[in-house]
Each structure stands twice: as structure tokens, then as C-alpha cells.
Amino acid sequence: MPTPFAPRIILSQNARADLHALLRAHSTPQSLALRARIVLRAADLDRPSNLALSREVGCANRTAGKWRRRYLALGLSGLQDAVRSGRPKAIAAPTRVHVLSVASTLPQDQERPVTRWTLDEIATTVRETLRTDPLSRSSIWRILHEVDLKPHKSEYWLNSHDEDFDAKAHTICQLYVKALEAYEQGRLVICCDEKTGMQVLERKAPTKPAQPGRRERREHEYIRHGTRVLINSLAVATGQIAWTLGATRTATDFVAHLKHTYQHLPRMKCYAWVMDNLNTHWSLDVCRLVARWCKVPFEPDKLKKGMQRRAFLSDPSHRHVFHFTPKHGSWLNQAELFFGTLQRRFLARGSFRSVKDFERCLVGFLKDYNTRHAHPYRWTYTGEPLVRDTPFSCTRRQQRQGRACFSPRPKRFEKLFYPYNAI
């Protein structure tokens, strides 16, 4: 039979760049890289035939012609494998549903003696409940894989039992959103929190700086010189901080910090303090200090319980109003953002000869932060319930195979084929 005519391929600059990106990416499957190489070679000016092209790239003549035609007809998406029907499913639909139902419950609910599911445990449970022929491990795996169900994996999550979580979170977030406007009107929003257990560590050998082709190296053995506690207050509108450094975080320490912060931050008409529910934040000494600041009567007999003290400190008629984050909601405090910066830029790689050396270096870092790096943080959480941004129907796995999947870091070739969700 005569050799079929090899159609001509003309690539735009963007299309050529995408194909070269597929070739360079280490995660690209070899079959996909071969197809991209065929198309690139077919688009050269000498217009090689399928026979010559197949000899150069190392494939069959028909293979070169097939992917040449597929690219002309469908573009980049034509380089993917076509959808195959496969053989009919041998496992009945009720059995498949029951497997998913078992895997979606806890082993204890199915009266199993284990605390985590395995393929064998699921197969045994299905056989005992349905009294059918046992399913193989691979069959169980395929059924679970189709819906992206992984009962053998687990992760921690924190459930807040605060009934007023949404209302408290919304109030605090509104303070952040309007912090700059309030600052111009004479109201200052302050986030206060403690960084406890900061270890004063000294490396047994000096750290070796980075060199061309070699990373910085730190000695893994260290000498402990004790710990220190940093109590920090962050002005939301400006990013400026005020701090006290000590060995403890008692109620007396916190009151001293409040006095220090009040002296060093700008004078305002009103102050809104955001902090968590640590007992030192609503102690009787704090109530006494706030009563003196706000020039209101201080009645210890009415402040014997924590609920009464928090209500007194949260009184909106006071000049100083405390806003307590909901339980398990300390991440709503912007002071945590600064502590992240402190950990990355100062504590993580530090080596200090003594406690005094640590305090001297830390004070120097905090002063430098106020002078050169202080800035208001960009707060994006609005206080509304957290909702997934990308619907399940728009995920890459859903588009590709008809089921949902999550991947925080898509591969290079997936970004090209599924650009809508390749973030």
C-alpha cells in the first residue's frame, strides 16, 4: 500500500513553548513526552515524512502518523490517551455501594476490633454482612479509588465548641477591616498574645555560611541556657509592636505589659484589645487596671467569676474594650502572624551564648522590625464560614476521570492540560 501523506503542522510561538515545557518537565510521562517530540519534529521546516520522523524519535511509522493527525485535529489535548470503555464491571452496583458505605464509617461502628481500616478488614466486613464471595484487595482498592476515598489515612482537626464562634469571629474581622479608618478617627485596634517557651540554644560548633554549591550548615547538637517569654502587642493599623520580655507569663507580668504598651503606643480616644481566653487576660488585676484607665467603679465582689470579669472587660461603653477570640480560635489574633515572622527570621537558626545575649539580640531584632519592617497585615478572612473556592465539578481529577481529587501542587503537564484549576 502507498505511504499516507504526512500533513503539515504549523506551530504558534505559544504552542511551541507549551510542547517544549512538556519535554523539560521531569514529571511528564514518557509516552506524553514522545508525542510532544513527534509534533515538534513534524513542525520543522524540512517537513519530514512519517517514516523519517519515526526513525529519528524511535517509534513505529503508524505511531508518528497517528499523533501527527491527532494534534492537527484536537490540538494539545489530542496528545492525551483517548477514553476507553474497558470491560464491563464484574461487581454489582449494590456491592460497590456497600463497600463505600463500610469504608465511610469507623471500624468500631462495624464492630471490628481495629481502629483503622485496611483493605483486608473492609473485604472481611463486606463478606460477613452481605454473605457473598470475598472481594480481592485490588477490587476493593479500585472501588475506593474511583471516588477518591482513602479510609486508611487520617489527619487532625480542631472542633470549636463555642456557640458564638461565628459572631465573635465576625466582630474581630470587622475590627481588622476597619482598623485604618478607626485609627484616623482616634480608635486603635491592638492584638496581644504571648510567645512562650522560647529556648535559648547555643550550637556546640559555629554555623558555617553558605558557599557556591553548598548550603549553610548548622551543628545539630546544642547547649540549653533556659527559656524566655515574649508578651507582644501589635497595632493593627500601623503594624508597630510593643513588647515585654521575661521568664514568666503570670497575671502580674501581663498587667505590666499592658501598662508598657499603653505608654508606648499612640494616645487615642478608644482602644480595642484582641486576645485569647488565657486566664491571665481576664484576671482581677487586669480588671482593676482597666477600671482605673476608664475611670469607672471597681467592685471586686461583682467580679468573682471569670464570666463576670470577661463581661466587664468587654463592656462597649468603656474606653478600653477587650475582645476575646472564640475557643480554639486563637488564629484570629493577628499577633500570631508576627510570631510566625519572629520564628522564621530570628529563632529558627539562632545560636546564643547566654540568656543576656539572647535578650540583647531579640531586642535588637524587635527594634529593627519596628523601624524597617513594621506594616499592617493584609487580612483576607472575613469571619464568614470557610467554603471551598473550587467546586468539586471543576477539579482536575473530575474533568479528567469523573471524580473529585485534591492536589496542592499540580504537575507541569497537568497545568497545561487543565489550566482552569492549575493555580
Side-chain angles (χ1 to χ4, degrees), residues 32-288:
L32 189 58
L34 174 64
R35 298 163 193 174
R37 195 177 298 112
I38 290 173
V39 175
L40 285 172
R41 182 65 183 93
D44 288 343
L45 296 178
D46 57 351
R47 298 174 60 184
S49 64
N50 292 335
L51 183 60
L53 197 155
S54 62
R55 290 175 179 174
E56 291 186 24
V57 299
C59 66
N61 184 12
R62 291 184 178 181
T63 302
K66 171 185 176 180
W67 296 112
R68 201 170 192 166
R69 294 189 299 272
R70 284 276 292 273
Y71 185 84
L72 279 174
L74 302 175
L76 188 62
S77 60
L79 300 185
Q80 299 181 90
D81 290 331
V83 179
R84 296 176 173 85
S85 60
R87 68 177 182 178
K89 295 181 179 180
I91 302 175
T95 304
R96 304 172 74 89
V97 172
H98 188 69
V99 170
L100 298 178
S101 175
V102 170
S104 300
T105 60
L106 296 177
Q108 299 89 328
D109 298 337
Q110 300 291 335
E111 298 182 357
R112 306 303 301 177
V114 297
T115 57
R116 57 169 289 182
W117 283 120
T118 62
L119 296 179
D120 293 329
E121 288 288 344
I122 295 176
T124 302
T125 305
V126 171
R127 183 179 68 250
E128 293 178 355
T129 53
L130 293 182
R131 301 185 183 280
T132 59
D133 296 334
L135 297 177
S136 64
R137 301 176 80 258
S138 58
S139 298
I140 297 288
W141 180 86
R142 281 192 294 270
I143 294 173
L144 300 180
H145 184 67
E146 286 180 357
V147 296
D148 195 34
L149 180 58
K150 303 175 182 179
H152 64 287
K153 290 190 175 182
S154 174
E155 62 182 11
Y156 285 106
W157 75 295
L158 190 59
N159 182 25
S160 179
H161 302 285
D162 196 326
E163 297 179 354
D164 301 326
F165 183 93
D166 293 340
K168 293 179 180 178
H170 183 74
T171 300
I172 293 174
C173 290
Q174 288 301 307
L175 289 176
Y176 295 157
V177 171
K178 301 178 180 178
L180 184 58
E181 179 183 352
Y183 181 75
E184 296 173 351
Q185 297 174 358
R187 301 192 303 271
L188 184 63
V189 181
I190 306 171
C191 292
C192 186
D193 203 359
E194 296 92 355
K195 179 72 172 177
T196 60
M198 295 187 300
Q199 298 189 59
V200 183
L201 305 179
E202 179 185 4
R203 303 291 169 179
K204 287 189 175 181
T207 299
K208 295 184 179 181
Q211 296 178 356
R214 176 172 289 183
R215 301 177 182 177
E216 175 187 295
R217 290 179 292 171
R218 287 175 290 151
E219 171 63 45
H220 71 281
E221 292 188 357
Y222 52 82
I223 304 172
R224 296 177 182 267
H225 295 298
T227 60
R228 278 296 178 265
V229 176
L230 174 68
I231 307 179
N232 181 72
S233 289
L234 170 72
V236 175
T238 63
Q240 296 288 321
I241 59 174
W243 67 89
T244 53
L245 189 61
T248 58
R249 60 166 185 178
T250 61
T252 304
D253 298 325
F254 187 69
V255 170
H257 171 75
L258 292 179
K259 295 178 180 178
H260 175 79
T261 302
Y262 181 66
Q263 294 174 358
H264 285 76
L265 290 180
R267 289 289 181 268
M268 293 288 173
K269 298 178 183 178
C270 301
Y271 298 84
W273 301 80
V274 179
M275 58 191 67
D276 58 28
N277 290 274
L278 188 67
N279 57 356
T280 57
H281 295 168
W282 42 267
S283 66
L284 195 61
D285 294 335
V286 174
C287 296
R288 183 183 293 108

Side-chain angles (χ1 to χ4, degrees), residues 401-417:
Q401 298 180 0
R403 55 182 180 269
C405 177
F406 307 98
S407 176
R409 187 172 297 177
K411 295 181 173 59
R412 183 70 175 270
F413 74 93
E414 290 180 327
K415 291 182 180 180
L416 295 175
F417 286 127

Side-chain angles (χ1 to χ4, degrees), residues 369-394:
Y369 180 87
N370 262 348
T371 304
R372 300 174 54 221
H373 304 288
H375 65 282
Y377 288 102
R378 179 172 170 265
W379 188 259
T380 58
Y381 179 59
T382 61
E384 301 297 329
L386 297 177
V387 180
R388 177 175 171 81
D389 292 333
T390 306
F392 291 138
S393 59
C394 296

